[in-house]
Amino acid sequence: MTNKRYEPINKAVPHMLHGADYNPEQWMHRPENIWDEDMAMMDIAKMNVVSIGIFSWSTLEPSEGVFDFEWLDKVMDMLAANGRYAMLATPTGARPAWMSAKYPEVLRVREDGLRNGHGVRHNHCASSPVYREKARIINKKLAERYHDHPALLGWHISNEYYGDCHCDLCKENFRDWLKGKYDTLDALNQGWWTKFWSHDYSDWSQIDPPTFHGESSIDGLEVDWKRFIVDLTVDFMKNEIAAVKEFSTDKPVTTNFHGMPYPTMNYWKFAVHLDVVSWDLYPDWAKLSEDSTVGSDTAFVYDIARALKGGRPFMLMESTPSTCWVVHKQQRPNIQMLSSMQAVAHGSDTVQYFQWRKGLGCCEKFHGAVVDHSGSSETKTFREVAEVGNILSQLDSVVGTVVEAEVAVIYDWENHWAIDKTVGLQDDDKKAYLEGCRSHHRAFWKKGIPVDVIDSEAPVDQYKIVVAPMLYMLKPDAIKNLNDFVNNGGTLVTTYWTGMVDENSLCFYGGFPGPLREVCGILNEENDGLLEKDSVKIRINKNQISTLKDQYLAHTACDVIHVETADVLAEYGSEYYEGMPALTRNNYGDGAAYHIAFRGEPAFLDDFYSEIAVEAGVQSVIKCDLPEGVTAQRRTDGEKDYIFLMNFSPDEKVVELGNGGLVDLLSGKPVKETLVMKAYEVDFYVR
Ligand code: GAL
């Protein structure tokens, strides 16, 4: 990093990247010259990158050991001749039919023991030695052939890794993984509390993965199985990368993450092995007109993507340029630009789509693509994509710049798994761990305050405020980091359902929030779960926290707590716990720990975080009041700030920008003090 700017993803390409998944092998036979048309149309759309070869194994290796690279040579040469780059994929997301026929053991086995038939994608066993070897061979061949090709930008390893397999080999690997973790069966039995229902194991061979028709009552087993699957998948990925790196050491390597976020892959474990993080994101933009939280939920994911490599810019590897699977509602005007620039605002140095052309057959033939079945560039979608390309081509100065966040919200995959498995939270509330994290993040997003979304064990020293919603599972590093953070002057916010179990899902004995009891200065006596129709009043103690309203409402969950050393900022105003503490603050070392014992309405979080931000000296990236639905993000190189102002509402919004020294990034003209933003408008400023 020079100043506050990272190197571009590939040093030789100091530009914003704009592109799409490109599947030329689907168009080898018709119509004539379609690859030439592709190149010409990519020029119009100002596309400088494509992802290629993602599901091309059957074309690259049509029969075992017989390889055909002629078509790929031609496409790579065409890309280079047209000044374009390739994220070249390893094709392991789907395998050729000959492989499944000859080596059925490469296919996954379901929970009930039945082996899958050939088909779909991500249907391979990550333990299978045959699959690993076949992957190694094809990856090596690709790297050997293309490592110094002028079109090669970087490596796209497989596609959206996910899923598990229950074959005997995977079970054996799981048992080995458990031996590595627990060493003795005794330690495992204690860690999983297996005296319960006579579940203790007397031999490692008795341990099976959790299944719907078998073991499903050991919480520790569930979390460990998911951890094992992540480690196994990461190991598979590392083998893929090693094969590529035998020949290609100077090009960046990524694998595309996905989901909002995808719940069962802990991406922190993958990111350390990658040069750059990339993410495929398909938010439900069709619902944006009714619900601007689609915008903040998307921001939440980008704030993970950026944090995964300590703030390094990431790649938006796939997004839809029009429709997706969920609702076939076409994107309304401005949404394409807004959604693309939102990624850039949060730290992406690319905007890429799935996919370049709509295929003529199979299950994605009506999925949105840049080029429709008409083959024309005269479509709304194409024009909108071209306009994104036009704007990106003017944003090279933003490449490598950073988003500086003084606030972190903890979202922890393992905590998510542990909560999902816990009996005691209502179903809705369980699903609501993610929503709980998002709601705290959203309160900052609305104010234009940047946030990193981090793992519970990530370092936190660089932040002023750390919010840990429902951190039910407390792992050793998190305990140390959070205690030290407050001791050293930080502001920590914890909530109901915090500090209840250790990393094996065993409850802390001696009172919740367990190892955070001293820093929070409270003792949690019991958790009260509310029915959907219920609410509980929260009365604010205005002598302690004057800027909040007199009263708010709590829903879903209220913990019944006692203060030990903390001050009471609000108390419950109804229910059998009326008069007991609901919101507390504990001074600890040089910092403070706030504890919110209830799930509050959004207005509470908005007002609470306004107060906390001022107290901790955290500011919005823009000095003006942002109307509902409008937010701002900043990227900076330490000298210049690039401000993105985004209207996620379907209504025109008036923003009193004042005279903040902002200049329009594209025209270079000073901005008006009062700005009228159209529905879904995005504006770019520099100062
Ligand atoms: C992604 C996947 C693409 C395509 C897309 C459709 O998850 O990587 O290959 O299937 O979904 O939305």
Side-chain angles (χ1 to χ4, degrees):
M1 202 176 12
T2 53
N3 292 329
K4 289 184 178 172
R5 193 187 281 274
Y6 286 91
E7 300 275 9
I9 291 161
N10 178 322
K11 284 183 209 146
V13 190
H15 306 296
M16 277 286 164
L17 298 173
H18 186 221
D21 278 18
Y22 182 39
N23 302 306
E25 75 276 24
Q26 293 179 13
W27 298 88
M28 282 190 355
H29 305 297
R30 60 188 156 150
E32 204 62 12
N33 299 330
I34 198 161
W35 294 358
D36 293 323
E37 271 175 41
D38 288 335
M39 295 302 129
M41 286 170 81
M42 284 178 193
D43 279 346
I44 304 174
K46 289 210 161 74
M47 286 198 169
N48 49 11
V49 67
V50 294
S51 298
I52 192 166
I54 297 175
F55 297 112
S56 310
W57 204 339
S58 61
T59 316
L60 291 168
E61 192 179 355
S63 56
E64 188 173 11
V66 177
F67 298 92
D68 176 6
F69 294 107
E70 213 182 302
W71 66 275
L72 189 53
D73 290 349
K74 189 162 176 211
V75 176
M76 290 290 279
D77 291 350
M78 285 177 90
L79 291 171
N82 286 274
R84 211 156 272 133
Y85 294 91
M87 287 302 294
L88 183 53
T90 65
T92 58
R95 78 240 67 79
W98 58 257
M99 195 187 298
S100 308
K102 182 162 178 196
Y103 307 103
E105 68 268 33
V106 302
L107 297 170
R108 284 185 185 165
V109 172
R110 308 188 321 193
E111 271 186 39
D112 61 4
L114 198 70
R115 194 176 289 280
N116 286 344
H118 175 73
V120 295
R121 56 183 178 182
H122 280 285
N123 184 9
H124 59 265
C125 165
S127 297
S128 160
V130 178
Y131 200 71
R132 285 184 173 226
E133 177 59 8
K134 293 292 178 200
R136 194 185 65 80
I137 295 170
I138 188 72
N139 290 7
K140 266 182 73 165
K141 293 236 175 237
L142 285 166
E144 188 175 9
R145 195 171 186 95
Y146 298 109
H147 69 278
D148 59 357
H149 194 285
L152 183 68
L153 184 100
W155 293 99
H156 178 301
I157 304 295
S158 198
N159 190 68
E160 297 182 345
Y161 286 113
Y162 71 89
D164 60 6
C165 167
H166 290 245
C167 73
D168 289 343
L169 200 52
C170 283
K171 288 185 191 171
E172 234 6 271
N173 284 339
F174 179 44
R175 290 173 197 129
D176 286 345
W177 183 93
L178 291 170
K179 284 177 199 161
K181 176 174 175 188
Y182 292 98
D183 199 21
T184 65
L185 261 187
D186 200 34
L188 176 139
N189 280 318
Q190 286 184 39
W192 288 357
W193 202 255
T194 52
K195 288 282 173 214
F196 178 76
W197 290 351
S198 217
H199 280 191
D200 15 20
Y201 298 98
S202 54
D203 193 280
W204 293 98
S205 64
Q206 295 156 1
I207 304 171
D208 273 339
T211 58
F212 67 89
H213 65 295
E215 187 56 87
S216 63
S217 54
I218 303 179
D219 294 1
L221 166 66
E222 297 273 344
V223 177
D224 274 343
W225 171 250
K226 290 196 167 66
R227 286 182 179 129
F228 160 72
I229 290 299
V230 167
D231 285 355
L232 179 69
T233 312
V234 168
D235 187 59
F236 183 89
M237 178 187 78
K238 280 167 64 185
N239 281 318
E240 284 214 53
I241 294 174
V244 167
K245 290 215 161 161
E246 269 187 51
F247 293 94
S248 179
T249 47
D250 61 338
K251 295 292 188 321
V253 167
T254 189
T255 187
N256 47 344
F257 299 154
H258 72 302
M260 294 291 288
Y262 191 71
T264 59
M265 287 285 127
N266 179 356
Y267 288 142
W268 290 90
K269 297 277 173 119
F270 289 74
V272 283
H273 305 287
L274 303 173
D275 298 312
V276 57
V277 161
S278 62
W279 207 295
D280 303 346
L281 207 55
Y282 295 91
D284 209 349
W285 293 121
K287 295 210 177 114
L288 187 60
S289 55
E290 290 126 50
D291 185 5
S292 69
T293 64
V294 181
S296 60
D297 293 351
T298 308
F300 181 85
V301 178
Y302 292 143
D303 291 342
I304 302 177
R306 192 186 60 246
L308 280 168
K309 288 217 68 82
R312 183 177 286 273
F314 61 95
M315 307 176 80
L316 174 59
M317 186 62 91
E318 290 179 22
S319 59
T320 178
S322 53
T323 57
C324 202
W325 299 95
V326 199
V327 182
H328 226 259
K329 181 170 168 178
Q330 299 293 334
Q331 276 179 19
R332 291 335 193 216
N334 290 348
I335 290 187
Q336 183 55 43
M337 183 65 74
L338 175 69
S339 60
S340 300
M341 294 307 147
Q342 182 192 22
V344 176
H346 283 264
S348 179
D349 277 356
T350 83
V351 174
Q352 293 160 266
Y353 313 97
F354 177 84
Q355 58 179 333
W356 169 244
R357 257 183 207 281
K358 281 186 185 171
L360 300 183
C362 294
C363 63
E364 288 183 342
K365 62 179 182 285
F366 293 119
H367 189 290
V370 179
V371 184
D372 211 327
H373 294 131
S374 65
S376 166
S377 56
E378 292 304 318
T379 61
K380 167 184 159 292
T381 297
F382 193 96
R383 279 192 293 270
E384 286 179 348
V385 165
E387 187 48 23
V388 171
N390 178 32
I391 298 293
L392 284 173
S393 70
Q394 300 171 61
L395 296 185
D396 282 352
S397 57
V398 180
V399 171
T401 56
V402 299
V403 173
E404 292 179 313
E406 296 178 320
V407 177
V409 169
I410 291 175
Y411 165 75
D412 184 296
W413 266 276
E414 295 186 354
N415 185 52
H416 195 161
W417 305 336
I419 286 180
D420 273 359
K421 187 60 198 149
T422 299
V423 175
L425 282 162
Q426 293 167 29
D427 270 355
D428 277 355
D429 204 29
K430 280 195 227 173
K431 284 183 218 122
Y433 170 57
L434 178 57
E435 177 45 29
C437 295
R438 286 168 167 172
S439 66
H440 289 259
H441 172 272
R442 191 175 299 133
F444 293 101
W445 177 83
K446 287 181 183 174
K447 299 179 210 310
I449 295 177
V451 176
D452 283 347
V453 179
I454 61 168
D455 183 56
S456 74
E457 295 180 289
V460 286
D461 326 336
Q462 70 270 39
Y463 302 109
K464 291 183 174 166
I465 299 175
V466 173
V467 185
M470 295 175 78
L471 196 53
Y472 162 79
M473 173 182 274
L474 274 181
K475 291 172 274 185
D477 281 355
I479 296 167
K480 178 168 186 330
N481 291 350
L482 296 179
N483 274 296
D484 289 353
F485 173 70
V486 182
N487 203 13
N488 295 333
T491 300
L492 173 68
V493 181
T494 54
T495 73
Y496 56 94
W497 281 85
T498 285
M500 299 178 72
V501 300
D502 69 9
E503 76 261 37
N504 292 327
S505 284
L506 282 188
C507 290
F508 292 116
Y509 186 71
F512 303 139
L516 292 184
R517 181 168 165 183
E518 198 186 329
V519 72
C520 293
I522 58 138
L523 175 65
N524 180 359
E525 181 185 323
E526 58 191 13
N527 317 103
D528 189 30
L530 306 181
L531 302 179
E532 213 180 322
K533 62 179 176 47
D534 294 341
S535 59
V536 172
K537 287 184 192 141
I538 304 295
R539 283 197 300 249
I540 300 298
N541 181 347
K542 305 278 274 192
N543 295 331
Q544 291 279 358
I545 188 159
S546 60
T547 56
L548 271 66
K549 296 189 190 70
D550 294 346
Q551 189 170 299
Y552 297 88
L553 290 180
H555 299 278
T556 321
C558 294
D559 282 359
V560 181
I561 64 168
H562 302 268
V563 285
E564 296 188 319
T565 51
D567 296 324
V568 178
L569 310 188
E571 59 186 33
Y572 289 112
S574 53
E575 271 305 336
Y576 69 92
Y577 32 86
E578 182 173 353
M580 292 183 76
L583 174 68
T584 60
R585 177 195 155 108
N586 192 42
N587 293 324
Y588 181 84
D590 294 335
Y594 289 86
H595 187 78
I596 307 170
F598 57 93
R599 182 184 283 262
E601 56 179 316
F604 167 75
L605 292 180
D606 290 347
D607 296 349
F608 174 72
Y609 284 118
S610 292
E611 167 77 21
I612 300 301
V614 170
E615 191 184 287
V618 169
Q619 287 177 359
S620 166
V621 301
I622 195 160
K623 286 195 178 65
C624 71
D625 285 334
L626 294 168
E628 183 74 30
V630 176
T631 187
Q633 282 289 317
R634 174 184 57 209
R635 291 184 66 169
T636 184
D637 62 4
E639 283 164 15
K640 276 193 176 145
D641 286 346
Y642 301 91
I643 307 285
F644 296 74
L645 194 64
M646 298 168 276
N647 179 9
F648 284 90
S649 91
D651 306 315
E652 198 175 270
K653 294 282 169 164
V654 177
V655 186
E656 297 297 344
L657 275 177
N659 187 1
L662 297 178
V663 171
D664 187 290
L665 179 60
L666 304 179
S667 71
K669 293 188 183 143
V671 295
K672 295 192 198 120
E673 295 202 1
T674 301
L675 180 75
V676 181
M677 295 185 87
K678 292 201 233 38
Y680 311 127
E681 180 175 325
V682 51
D683 296 307
F684 320 92
Y685 304 116
V686 62
R687 77 174 164 218

